[in-house]
């Protein structure tokens, strides 16, 4: 790796720009770790974000394969050298971390480490995380220049992490505000109709014996009020369409939701998109709703540890596929289908958008749900 002036300008600039352009916390963490490992020419890099219970809420690694990471086991606790990085202000640079008295308790599957460099990521008095590097690729171990470079990275990492956390909180607040607004509107619009409906039904019941003709009129009014209430409910449900779909389009909205689900569940949830162009609003909403329903079923009921969402161009339209490796079921069994998936609802959404829905599943082989829409 080039250790000359170009490293301090082009490479550092690229890394800092990459950090500042990420909005999601997880993406920021991964960018920080990858940038640190590349810039400091280390074999391994990791970043831990502490929780409030002596462990790590998030721990991101680079230089270790997914299979190695699975073998290592659960997230580490805050002890030994990891704890030191969280509770001191400056860097720690060691020629051989294994000889440090704080070294210990590492899982058997953990890669062998020697030279070590780490420091906290701080925002004022708050420690946002700790950044660790091990095993310098070039002979001689980490240098004072590496320590200075890590300090620069940590300063910008603090800014990027703080901005990402603010972004995520602002999105959560926006969602909460929107739900509150819709709840009030739903209450105002529908509760009056339902109140009138109840009073009219009571009047009809009182008139049935002594004035059947008037009772009939009242019952017709009940039917009209029920229809109006149903219209109000439909309008409210339509308004629940995520704002992101209008603002960002189907691809960005679906990608964001998959990221959230991947964070929230132990199963790995991925999203792939190829060649998609804008679709009519009704088709985009139907695709999103079917994806949400299929993802809910896969994550809550199938026992899958992997769920793949694929959105691909299909002629003038698009095809959505949600596939899991869960326990599967028999689509031909009415009882199982009714219990398992809300397939009728998904098929109705697909046909209502001019598309079609197919389900491929059998016990023990997972489930694949595919929806096609024609475009327009």
């Amino acid at each position: 790796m080039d250790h000359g002036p170009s490293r301090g300008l082009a490479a550092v600039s690229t890394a800092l720009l990459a950090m500042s352009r990420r909005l999601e916390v997880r993406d920021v963490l991964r960018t920080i770790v990858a940038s640190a490992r590349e810039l400091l020419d280390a074999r391994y890099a990791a970043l831990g974000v502490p929780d409030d219970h002596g462990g790590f809420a998030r721990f991101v690694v680079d230089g270790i394969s997914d299979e190695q990471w699975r073998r290592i086991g659960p997230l580490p606790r805050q002890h030994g050298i990891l704890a030191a990085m969280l509770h001191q202000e400056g860097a720690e640079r060691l020629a051989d971390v294994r000889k440090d008295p704080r070294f210990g308790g590492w899982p058997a599957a953990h890669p062998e480490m020697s030279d070590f460099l780490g420091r906290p990521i701080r925002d004022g008095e708050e420690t946002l995380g700790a950044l660790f590097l091990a095993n310098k690729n070039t002979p001689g171990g980490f240098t004072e220049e590496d320590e200075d470079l890590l300090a620069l990275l940590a300063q910008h990492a603090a800014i990027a992490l703080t901005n990402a956390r603010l972004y995520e909180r602002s999105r959560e607040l926006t969602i909460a505000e929107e739900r509150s607004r819709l709840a009030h509107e739903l209450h105002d619009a529908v509760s009056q109709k339902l109140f009138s409906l109840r009073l009219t039904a009571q009047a009809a019941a009182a008139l049935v014996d002594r004035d059947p003709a008037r009772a009939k009129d009242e019952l017709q009014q009940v039917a009209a009020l029920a229809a109006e209430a149903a219209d109000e409910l439909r309008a409210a449900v339509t308004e629940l369409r995520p704002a992101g779909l209008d603002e960002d389009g189907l691809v960005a909205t679906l990608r964001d939701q998959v990221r959230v689900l991947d964070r929230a569940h132990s199963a790995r949830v991925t999203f792939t998109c190829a060649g998609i162009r804008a679709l009519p609003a009704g088709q985009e909403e139907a695709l999103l709703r079917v994806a949400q329903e299929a993802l809910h079923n896969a994550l809550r009921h199938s026992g899958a540890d992997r769920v793949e969402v694929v959105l691909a161009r299909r002629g003038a339209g698009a095809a959505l596929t949600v596939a899991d490796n869960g326990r599967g079921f028999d689509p031909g069994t009415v009882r199982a289908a009714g219990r398992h998936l809300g397939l009728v609802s998904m098929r109705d959404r697909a046909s209502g958008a001019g598309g079609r829905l197919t389900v491929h599943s059998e016990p023990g082989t997972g489930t694949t749900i595919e929806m096609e829409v024609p475009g327009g």
Side-chain angles (χ1 to χ4, degrees), residues 91-110:
E92 186 80 52
R93 180 158 52 98
L94 303 170
D96 192 338
V97 69
R98 295 165 296 186
K99 296 179 180 178
D100 190 277
R102 296 164 297 180
F103 180 81
W106 296 78
H110 198 285

Side-chain angles (χ1 to χ4, degrees), residues 272-291:
T272 306
C273 176
I276 289 296
R277 57 188 181 188
L279 298 164
Q283 294 182 29
E284 289 202 347
E285 181 175 2
L287 285 166
L288 179 61
R289 294 301 186 189
V290 167

Side-chain angles (χ1 to χ4, degrees), residues 36-122:
R37 187 169 83 92
E38 180 180 355
L39 286 171
L40 275 71
D41 195 24
R43 184 171 180 185
Y44 305 116
L47 196 165
V49 176
D51 61 18
D52 297 323
H53 311 289
F56 286 93
R58 290 170 173 172
F59 202 88
V60 181
V61 297
D62 195 55
I64 296 174
S65 70
D66 291 342
E67 179 57 33
Q68 283 178 298
W69 184 239
R70 278 192 291 271
R71 289 202 304 268
I72 289 170
L75 293 183
R77 305 294 295 169
Q78 295 174 26
H79 63 84
I81 198 74
L82 302 186
M85 293 303 94
L86 290 168
H87 298 108
Q88 67 184 46
E89 290 191 10
E92 186 80 52
R93 180 158 52 98
L94 303 170
D96 192 338
V97 69
R98 295 165 296 186
K99 296 179 180 178
D100 190 277
R102 296 164 297 180
F103 180 81
W106 296 78
H110 198 285
E112 188 74 13
M113 296 196 309
S114 53
D115 44 319
F116 174 91
L117 176 63
R119 71 169 300 124
I121 297 173
R122 297 171 65 90

Side-chain angles (χ1 to χ4, degrees), residues 39 62 76 153 156 158 170 230 254 305 311 320 325 327 330 371:
L39 286 171
D62 195 55
L153 277 176
H156 286 269
S170 71
L254 195 50
D305 63 14
L311 189 63
L320 166 77
N325 65 346
R327 62 179 62 92
D330 181 4
M371 176 179 166

Side-chain angles (χ1 to χ4, degrees), residues 55-275:
F56 286 93
R58 290 170 173 172
F59 202 88
V60 181
V61 297
D62 195 55
I64 296 174
S65 70
D66 291 342
E67 179 57 33
Q68 283 178 298
W69 184 239
R70 278 192 291 271
R71 289 202 304 268
I72 289 170
L75 293 183
R77 305 294 295 169
Q78 295 174 26
H79 63 84
I81 198 74
L82 302 186
M85 293 303 94
L86 290 168
H87 298 108
Q88 67 184 46
E89 290 191 10
E92 186 80 52
R93 180 158 52 98
L94 303 170
D96 192 338
V97 69
R98 295 165 296 186
K99 296 179 180 178
D100 190 277
R102 296 164 297 180
F103 180 81
W106 296 78
H110 198 285
E112 188 74 13
M113 296 196 309
S114 53
D115 44 319
F116 174 91
L117 176 63
R119 71 169 300 124
I121 297 173
R122 297 171 65 90
D123 179 18
E125 295 300 312
E126 182 185 5
T127 298
L128 304 180
L131 188 54
F132 317 96
L133 297 121
N135 296 29
K136 180 87 169 177
N137 286 318
T138 50
F142 295 104
T143 65
E144 187 174 343
E145 179 191 5
D146 292 326
E147 194 172 319
D148 293 341
L149 186 53
L150 188 62
L152 176 65
L153 277 176
Q155 291 172 5
H156 286 269
I159 296 169
L161 268 176
T162 300
N163 288 340
R165 295 201 310 188
L166 289 172
Y167 169 77
E168 289 191 352
R169 287 173 185 169
S170 71
R171 292 199 65 161
E172 291 168 6
L173 182 60
T174 299
I175 291 169
E177 289 174 345
E178 181 68 5
R179 285 177 176 166
S180 177
R181 182 185 70 81
L182 288 172
H184 281 99
E185 287 189 5
L186 182 62
H187 177 271
D188 293 342
V190 180
S191 63
Q192 294 178 19
K193 291 285 190 306
L194 295 177
F195 181 69
S196 299
L197 185 66
R198 187 170 72 250
L199 291 181
T200 307
Q202 290 171 349
L207 291 168
V208 164
D209 292 328
R210 71 172 186 270
D211 194 342
R214 281 188 60 196
K216 182 179 180 181
D217 290 341
E218 294 293 335
L219 287 172
Q220 288 175 341
Q221 181 66 15
V222 166
L225 286 168
E228 290 176 13
D231 288 341
E232 295 284 359
L233 281 169
R234 273 193 293 271
V237 169
T238 299
E239 256 201 282
L240 287 170
R241 182 185 185 207
L245 194 55
D246 292 320
E247 298 168 4
D248 303 327
L250 176 63
V251 173
T253 303
L254 195 50
R255 181 180 288 118
D256 284 349
Q257 295 199 6
V258 166
R259 283 175 179 166
V260 170
L261 292 172
D262 187 41
R263 285 202 303 267
H265 294 270
S266 59
R268 178 71 174 136
V269 189
T270 60
F271 176 70
T272 306
C273 176

